[in-house]
Amino acid sequence: MERGWADYDRRWEWSDFPSPKRNLSLPAWEGQNLSGKSIVISAEQGLGDQVMFGVVIAELLKQCPKKVRIEVQAKAVPLFKMWYPDCEISDWKIDREIDSKLEAEFDFHAPMATVCRYLMSSFAAINNLSRRKIRLAESDKKMMLGEFYDKYPLRIGLSWRSGAIDGERVSGYMNVNLCEAIIKSLPDWVGFVVVQYKFHDSEREILEKYPNVFIPTEDLFEDLVANGKYCGACDVVVSAPTLVVQLSGLFGVQCLTWGTENSWVNLGCERSPWFGTILQIKHQSNMSKAAMVSRICTLLKNSLGALDGRGRKGSEICSTTT
């Protein structure tokens, strides 16, 4: 673990690293105690990574820092304000006038993953990590889903791919047929909530045929809070390895997902080191998508067991690990 995090620091030396480096004339935070001190934590990589890395900030706050500023992508600002209302939340940008004020006001600076390096330096540290979650009241779920909430007391969220179908990760995505297979394999008293962001009209037409499918009207690509809340209104979410997995974990919902056995995001752990509610089917890089869909359907059916669909608790879903 120690060697892995040290190697990860070399990401800034890679010319194709997708995140610009946040340059502030502040001492780099290297694990020092922050009691009475202040720190700027800047986002890096994609939105899913920012939510994932943001988990460790709860542990950092136990050191009683004087002030913590978290800089994230603009669309993630409302979500982080909900998550860490005791911190200063701002969008990530380079502005010399702002930077000069920060350099006068704060003691340290660290990129998000660097904070993880020092607070997730061992398996023991990961197991003992403090984690904050956002929980929705039942009244909030009912307000979001309306009549669907009462009609389908057992709800499964569905997300099958990223918003962009390109790059190496596309091999880990599914198409909307995954949703159809799940819908058809489960009893009609099970409700389904589409938590996929940025999906196409052709995909919408397929899912609109089913009366037990709820499709939000909000733009979940732009509204991360709404996306997270719809995840939180479900008992379990089935999702490709995207931002939706991390949102489900943040909102305290079990998420059934999949990923390669050597995926770096697991940090060598058997289970997700970020949120304990994430259940992952591990597979080889050349997985059969048809076999994966079949396995997901079987896991869900087996988890339902003898449930009758009348007010059952979501904790009974996916109680079997993969």
Side-chain angles (χ1 to χ4, degrees), residues 232-251:
C234 298
D235 299 294
V236 63
V237 171
V238 178
S239 175
T242 68
L243 166 65
V244 171
V245 173
Q246 306 306 330
L247 288 175
S248 300
L250 175 56
F251 280 79

Side-chain angles (χ1 to χ4, degrees), residues 159-179:
S159 177
W160 52 96
R161 59 169 175 78
S162 172
I165 309 299
D166 53 27
E168 295 179 3
R169 291 184 298 175
V170 68
S171 62
Y173 299 154
M174 299 287 185
N175 57 37
V176 72
N177 298 126
L178 164 68
C179 303

